[in-house]
Amino acid sequence: MNDKHIWLLIFTLVPLYFLMDQSNPVRAPITREWTLELAPQGVQFSIHRSWGGNNSYSSSTSHDFGDFRGLTRARMEAGGPAQFEMLRDAGTLACEGAFRNGGGGGTFVFSPSPDYVSALRGLGYNGIDANRLFELAVHNVSRAYIRELDEIGYHHLPFDELVHLRIHGVTAAFAATLKKFSYGTFPTGQLVELRIQRVTPEYMQGFRDMGYPRIAVDDLVLLRIHGVTTEFVNELRGMGYGRAGIDDLAQLRIHGVSADFVKDLQSLGYRNVPLEELVQLRIHGVTAPMIQRLQAAGYTNLSTDQLVQLKIRGVVE
């Protein structure tokens, strides 16, 4: 073979090498440790790996047995050798080890799915490395999930955002429901915050039904953080407080003004007390038993401000 043929061969093989490299982003198997613990409704599956000296990854999540192939509660309880797989769209974690005392541990090998890599490339995601594929598999960022989000306006989200959404259980159905409530397309960070604070579509619908057509996202989170339930708001409405403001509702709960507290005051003749005065009564420790003792002593027409002053000055306990 002459020099001309050698150079032609090199020019032919080099592009093929790079094409093969991009179609198979995993150059070496990803392996490390797994542990399992039985839970009431499934298992707690934990994995840990480290690489490159300074890089590490850990994850611990709850799963149903249906998320695995070859894993059952009976096998875990029986003990002995462990061999099962976690099947994901992005690839498969093949786990081996042992079960003992209702738990288990061992090593895993991650095998990426070439079809997944090819499909994501078709969706505009290129240069996916092995570590990213592993993360997408662990958190079950599937092709279907990416497409569902794309269909409702979340186009070509970065991988970090997709993983963050999956970690916190943000589904495409949840995001689509928010559009139904006229909220448009939320930033992904707000979707996560709503899920973290358990702001559900049902919670939002409950406020709509009570005359709050479109509460700002920050206010929904504020209400949830401070435990303002639709039941609490309905009880206030039943006691004559109508459509209380968002800040008022939050302040009531922050300072421990319960529906029972309001009912007790009304039973003692304090009806239609302004919301801000209810807060002041609670801040200064004015209680229904204290008012009862004052009324029994003949002080039957004290204002809420007088009650507060008596408490501040230590006249009554």
Side-chain angles (χ1 to χ4, degrees), residues 265-313:
L265 290 179
Q266 291 192 345
S267 70
L268 295 170
Y270 290 87
R271 296 184 174 276
N272 302 317
V273 177
L275 297 178
E276 60 271 19
E277 292 183 23
L278 290 173
V279 169
Q280 288 301 310
L281 291 172
R282 285 295 292 165
I283 287 174
H284 295 288
V286 176
T287 64
M290 169 190 143
I291 298 172
Q292 287 175 324
R293 291 194 297 272
L294 286 168
Q295 290 181 343
Y299 299 97
T300 57
N301 295 308
L302 295 174
S303 68
T304 56
D305 183 61
Q306 289 173 318
L307 291 170
V308 167
Q309 289 302 314
L310 289 172
K311 185 66 175 177
I312 289 174
R313 297 175 190 282

Side-chain angles (χ1 to χ4, degrees), residues 178-192:
L178 298 180
K179 282 195 167 186
K180 185 183 76 173
F181 290 120
S182 302
Y183 282 98
T185 302
F186 275 112
T188 57
Q190 285 190 328
L191 289 174
V192 168

Side-chain angles (χ1 to χ4, degrees), residues 76-97:
M76 289 187 65
E77 291 175 340
Q83 189 171 26
F84 60 93
E85 295 176 314
M86 170 181 271
L87 306 176
R88 291 295 196 227
D89 195 28
T92 300
L93 274 75
C95 302
E96 293 186 346

Side-chain angles (χ1 to χ4, degrees), residues 14 105 166 285:
V14 167
R166 287 298 277 168

